[in-house]
């Protein structure tokens, strides 16, 4: 049974995540101080450092949560189809839909590399989304539907393309148009690898 202390600690942690999540979604990472974050939550600086070891740790937890939910959405979309090509298409479209969500766009795509540094941001992104790309590529290879390049090479190419497309879409003014064009581009890239496609 959960003790009062444990419940209080979890409530404190959630209060920090929810309040900071709203602020990070509206503001630039560099413009928010640790003091402002705890003041908005009504907690102490000690609570922030106890649960997250500071502003950067809190921001990373928020990015991690958004990436976890994104991966769950993409997994659901992928699992709604049985044909390997259709699974990839649905996964890509769901990924691009996620990238268009204001909170994900601003926190993960625009502020993530700034707040966490490119290397750490990429590690988190790969942890949640990289496996989905590897799985999709392996399924296509196992079904002999695409040319037999090494799986790791194919996964790296598509993960890189999707990452750069997501960042490009996040920074464009007409995101809906860019979203549709990106989905079509990924479809055409994949079709070019299909067995029987002309080189």
């Amino acid at each position: 049974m959960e003790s009062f202390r444990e419940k209080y600690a979890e409530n404190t942690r959630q209060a920090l995540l929810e309040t900071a999540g709203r602020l990070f979604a509206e503001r630039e990472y560099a413009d928010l101080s640790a003091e402002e974050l705890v003041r908005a939550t009504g907690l102490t600086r000690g609570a922030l450092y106890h649960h997250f070891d500071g502003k950067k740790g809190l921001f990373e937890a928020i990015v991690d949560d958004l990436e976890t939910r994104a991966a769950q959405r993409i997994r659901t979309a992928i699992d709604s189809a049985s044909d390997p090509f259709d699974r990839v298409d649905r996964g890509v479209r769901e990924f691009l839909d996620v990238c268009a969500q204001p909170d994900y766009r601003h926190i993960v795509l625009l502020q993530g590399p700034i707040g966490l540094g490119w290397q750490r941001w990429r590690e988190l992104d790969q942890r949640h989304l990289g496996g989905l790309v590897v799985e999709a590529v392996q399924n296509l290879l196992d079904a002999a539907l695409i040319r037999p390049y090494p799986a790791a090479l194919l996964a790296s190419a598509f993960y890189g393309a999707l990452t750069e497309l997501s960042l490009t879409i996040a920074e464009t003014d007409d995101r809906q148009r860019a979203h549709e064009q990106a989905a079509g581009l990924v479809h055409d890239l994949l079709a070019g690898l299909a067995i029987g496609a002309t080189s």
Side-chain angles (χ1 to χ4, degrees), residues 56-143:
K56 185 174 181 180
L58 175 56
F59 181 70
E60 180 171 321
I62 291 167
V63 170
D64 190 64
D65 181 61
L66 287 168
E67 291 276 48
T68 297
R69 286 187 274 155
Q72 289 168 347
R73 281 184 55 176
I74 295 165
R75 165 60 65 193
T76 298
I78 290 172
D79 289 346
S80 68
S82 56
D83 175 76
F85 274 121
D86 194 24
R87 287 168 65 85
V88 172
D89 186 61
R90 293 189 190 195
V92 167
R93 288 186 176 277
E94 190 64 33
F95 167 72
L96 295 173
D97 284 346
V98 167
C99 292
Q101 298 299 307
D103 287 3
Y104 188 92
R105 173 183 173 269
H106 186 74
I107 295 174
V108 177
L109 299 178
L110 297 179
Q111 298 302 307
I114 295 169
L116 301 176
W118 176 259
Q119 186 60 38
R120 182 56 181 159
W121 177 82
R122 190 171 181 273
E123 286 171 2
L124 282 178
D125 193 63
Q126 276 201 314
R127 180 197 303 168
H128 292 288
L129 305 179
L132 294 172
V133 177
V134 171
E135 178 187 314
V137 164
Q138 193 62 59
N139 286 341
L140 291 169
L141 287 169
D142 290 345

